[in-house]
Amino acid sequence: MTDKLLDVRDLAVSFRTDRGWIPAVDSVNFTLGEGDALGIVGESGSGKSVTALSLLRLHAERNTRIEGQVLWRGRDVLKLSRGQLQQLRGSEIAMVFQDPIHTLNPVLNIADQIGESLRIHQGMTGAAARRRAIELLDTVRIPDAARRVNDYPHQLSGGQRQRVMIAIAIACQPKLLIADEPTTALDVTVQAQIMELLRQLRADLGMSVILISHDLGLVSEFADRVMVMYAGQPIEMAPVDALFDLPLHPYSDGLISAIPDLDSDLDRLPTIAGSIPEPTRRPAGCRFAPRCPHQKADCRNTVLPMLEAGGGRAVRCTLHVTDKRAVA
Amino acid sequence: MIKLILTRLAQAVPVMLIVAILTFVLMKLLPGDPAVLLAGEGADLDKVDALRRELGLDRPLLIQLGSWLADLARFDLGRSLFLNQPVAEAIVERLPVTLSLAMVAFVMTIPIGIIMGMVAAYWRDSWVDTAVMSLALVGVSVPNFWLAILAIILFSVTLGWLPSAGYVPIDEGLWLWLRSLIMPAAVLALFQIGYLARMTRSEMLEVMDQDYVRTARAKGVSELRTVAKHAFRNALVSVLTVSGYIFSLLVGGSVVIEQIFALPGIGRLLVQAIMARDIPVVQGTMLFLGFMFVAINVLVDIFYTVVDPRVRYD
């Protein structure tokens, strides 16, 4: 498995609350090769961000339990010491978060915030890190970089802040960029610019990218493969085109139908009836069963693994799969 | 910046006026006549009346207030009734003692309080947190006069390490000066340390949940740097506010401690003046303390601009 950059096996995350441990995410399995772009899609509460943050163990340690394996080039991230983890973060795997209003430190200037990872991971001195920070601002197309580098986050617009976040993330030329809802808090026009920037950077730097979004349309334009999550589990994994041609899971089908189509003239957009169950009230069998239009008698109490569906696809549903073989 | 200082000082004028009037009214409400006290026990009524006229205490209250305010406008705080010196001189004479005490206590409070708060916040809900916060709770709960007496018994009477009372000016030797202040300052600081530690902890807890702290971790920044730089720099604004408040309290609030350790400072002056109904001294001292509060707040406002780039006054 050395050609795999990232190999996530049976990842499960639970959080401690006043009412005990609550499972947020389970049964997450996926791999990522060099240069791959994987999209993780799901609605709020599906566990996509929880999954993303677990890859770098960014949850608060004292009330989070992460099980399974996150193999980064063969080494289990979940077993790394704190020092090894800090070496990995920001240098080999970098992250861009949603809501750039809050993800940049308001009291530190841009030069410091970009330069910090260069000083940590590449041993650069202050002056060299600063010069490189200006170059990086140029790369993410912030005009007048030499001057803006002295600015503080509140002096930048939302789009510019996200560009700065991206500059921070790519500073050490990571092999993997995890972008967690990178455009959710931004205007639609700015959103398109940021996605274009990410696409270009991915090509220029040869990074692998994991893009997390609730927006299936956005993901489909960016990723090669998509993992759809529902109620804390992946429920379908497929190449983007195949997923759009024929979604195998009724939930994916519902998501795709809910994307507005400019050519058709509808008064109301189709929706999926019901809402995502809370982590403590997840059905025992198929978690989508209560909302599923194709529900069968045994759906509610049969726990399904991801089933092999051919063509590099897998699905947690028997509707379109006749040969019921679990994915190895 | 200069504009800020000037406007703030101008805003202080009405505040000071209110302090002046309140002090005046409170002194008039107190039972006891300075003329009687000044004349001495068993003095005859004519002598008391003469004194009262001499001091202007027989005039209507509004006239008394008016003439005092008029003097104030000329920066004249008047003369003490008992000390045989101008009020301003009496304050300036005692100021170094109070300021020394406040400074030493402040220097003890700030690092210890902040570090305790940060340690408790970082290990929140663990035994470390519980231990540190229990200590802070002891600090804010123990009455300082009681602690002062215990400290004197231990360090002065039993061990003989530190003097039990009195103040040594700094020009007689730094060590002697410090020795005379360590115990009162430590007793004074204990409450403030507890208070600051609790404030710092709650502020740090809030800041450490912020997204930019997660960003720092995602960059590979070490835990120590994440807490000390990324989180603490953001908590600093609130810590600064509290620190300014603490310094104000230390400057004005050493009355009990100055009394116990026989330190001739402002607090002691104020208590003695109240006891003696030395109205000009009480009024002058109260005004001076009010002015110190305002001045410290202006200083804190200036520090805000240094600590938080979002704060600008122009």
Side-chain angles (χ1 to χ4, degrees), chain A residues 16 53 56 58 61-62 82 85-87 89-91 93-95 97-99 102-108 112-114 116-117 119-121 152 154-155 165 168 180, chain B residues 121-126 205 209-226 229-235 237 306-312:
Chain A
R16 191 174 56 194
L53 290 172
L56 278 178
L58 284 171
E61 268 173 36
R62 65 192 178 86
R82 187 170 279 186
L85 187 63
Q86 278 159 13
Q87 274 175 24
R89 289 170 173 172
S91 69
I93 306 179
M95 216 163 161
F97 303 96
Q98 67 172 304
D99 194 5
H102 298 116
T103 48
L104 290 173
N105 196 321
V107 301
L108 303 176
D112 191 6
Q113 297 195 54
I114 298 179
E116 193 165 32
S117 34
R119 292 195 299 270
I120 295 170
H121 297 299
Y152 289 89
H154 71 278
Q155 292 165 292
M165 264 313 287
I168 291 172
D180 183 7
Chain B
Y122 186 74
W123 283 285
R124 73 197 280 188
D125 299 340
S126 74
L205 285 184
D209 275 341
Q210 298 294 316
D211 289 351
Y212 50 76
V213 172
R214 192 185 55 196
T215 303
R217 292 211 169 95
K219 282 198 276 191
V221 178
S222 69
E223 284 297 306
L224 183 66
R225 259 178 91 84
T226 303
K229 179 180 169 186
H230 290 264
F232 182 64
R233 276 293 309 271
N234 281 280
V237 175
V306 180
V307 167
D308 189 338
R310 286 167 297 185
V311 179
R312 300 193 71 97

Side-chain angles (χ1 to χ4, degrees), chain B residues 110-227:
Chain B
I110 298 304
I112 300 177
I114 288 176
I115 289 172
M116 277 172 69
M118 287 174 75
V119 164
Y122 186 74
W123 283 285
R124 73 197 280 188
D125 299 340
S126 74
W127 66 268
V128 180
D129 185 13
T130 313
V132 171
M133 280 303 108
S134 306
L135 219 61
L137 188 65
V138 170
V140 293
S141 312
V142 172
N144 59 12
F145 60 87
W146 180 73
L147 194 73
I149 293 165
L150 286 192
I152 291 173
I153 293 173
L154 179 63
F155 293 107
S156 306
V157 179
T158 309
L159 297 170
W161 290 351
L162 295 165
S164 65
Y167 172 75
V168 182
I170 194 163
D171 38 297
E172 284 177 31
L174 188 67
W175 170 236
L176 288 176
W177 170 77
L178 199 58
R179 229 170 87 93
S180 71
L181 290 173
I182 285 178
M183 206 157 46
V187 170
L188 204 52
L190 199 77
F191 174 89
Q192 310 296 355
I193 288 172
Y195 176 59
L196 183 61
R198 290 157 71 92
M199 292 299 297
T200 306
R201 175 182 180 271
S202 72
E203 196 55 35
M204 283 299 286
L205 285 184
E206 190 153 312
V207 169
M208 291 206 309
D209 275 341
Q210 298 294 316
D211 289 351
Y212 50 76
V213 172
R214 192 185 55 196
T215 303
R217 292 211 169 95
K219 282 198 276 191
V221 178
S222 69
E223 284 297 306
L224 183 66
R225 259 178 91 84
T226 303
V227 173

Side-chain angles (χ1 to χ4, degrees), chain A residues 239-257:
Chain A
V240 169
D241 298 337
L243 181 72
F244 272 78
D245 286 347
L246 177 68
L248 296 180
H249 197 286
Y251 177 67
S252 318
D253 192 18
L255 278 187
I256 290 170
S257 317

